[in-house]
Amino acid sequence: MDDAPSQLPATMLSLRAAARETGFIFSCEERTGSLLAVLAAARPGGRILELGTGVGAGTAWLLSGMDEASSLVTVELDPAVQAVAREQLGADPRVTFVTSDGGNWLDEYDGELFDLVFADTWPGKFTHLDRALELLAPGGIYLIDDLFPQPGWPEDHAASVKRLLAELEEREDLRSVRMAWASGLLMAVRSG
């Protein structure tokens, strides 16, 4: 069976080209993206948080699965990288772009809980994990990727992943599953 997505978001080709032009190599892997679209579609009217906009590949996938009543907040540290996503996807009223350090944003956020949290950067995954999980509504889904070795990652990435997986699996408020698929994923659901 071929697990490559059969449909891509309309903006994906231009986002890929922009990523190449800017030298951005950390875009969301397509199979992960297709899973994001399905998870977003499973949450009609859902509130979604993406930590790590990048050039907007994951954002595009999330938007492609969301209904009109859903909303997405996407946070990125690098304004130049996020500018690509803003240009390509900023006309969609369902998305709010935040240019900020993800850890600072997590520390300062004081709003509604999220039905889906996609942590695609260090804050919310390797740092500020507890805070990201506090923002997850009961029954909400937490998804992380890039658990396999990635180009450009620090040498201690494997040790960080091992610590993170152990910490997540010890939590009694989460039910999680590891997926040796795409870039290496873990999906967890917060118990009520």
Side-chain angles (χ1 to χ4, degrees):
M1 175 177 74
D2 181 3
D3 64 353
S6 58
Q7 296 178 335
L8 300 176
T11 55
M12 193 54 62
L13 294 179
S14 58
L15 288 170
R16 281 188 200 151
R20 282 190 302 275
E21 288 172 20
T22 62
F24 186 79
I25 61 169
F26 301 114
S27 289
C28 175
E29 199 266 349
E30 287 183 356
R31 290 173 296 168
T32 301
S34 65
L35 177 60
L36 288 171
V38 168
L39 294 174
R43 298 292 181 164
R47 291 187 37 78
I48 300 170
L49 172 62
E50 177 186 37
L51 297 164
T53 312
V55 297
T59 310
W61 281 105
L62 287 163
L63 289 168
S64 75
M66 291 166 49
D67 68 4
E68 291 304 314
S70 296
S71 63
L72 168 63
V73 174
T74 182
V75 182
E76 172 61 45
L77 174 64
D78 186 337
V81 170
Q82 193 184 57
V84 173
R86 285 179 184 264
E87 180 182 321
Q88 298 276 336
L89 305 167
D92 192 319
R94 300 172 299 167
V95 63
T96 300
F97 290 96
V98 177
T99 305
S100 175
D101 175 87
N104 291 342
W105 186 89
L106 285 166
D107 287 339
E108 295 171 6
Y109 178 76
D110 185 26
E112 294 181 59
L113 299 178
F114 293 94
D115 300 300
L116 171 59
V117 173
F118 175 46
D120 192 21
T121 189
W122 266 250
K125 189 186 320 186
F126 298 115
T127 70
H128 300 81
L129 175 64
D130 288 338
R131 181 63 180 141
L133 294 173
E134 286 172 11
L135 298 180
L136 193 60
I141 298 169
Y142 173 76
L143 182 70
I144 54 177
D145 65 346
D146 300 334
L147 299 176
F148 293 151
Q150 301 296 312
W153 265 203
E155 289 183 23
D156 67 344
H157 180 69
S160 296
V161 167
K162 187 175 180 178
R163 280 190 305 276
L164 173 65
L165 294 176
E167 185 174 345
L168 286 167
E169 291 185 356
E170 289 174 5
R171 294 185 66 110
E172 294 182 10
D173 60 337
L174 295 177
R175 180 76 182 213
S176 64
V177 60
R178 295 181 189 187
M179 293 179 272
W181 181 71
S183 65
L185 308 173
L186 180 135
M187 184 168 57
V189 175
R190 184 172 178 185
S191 56

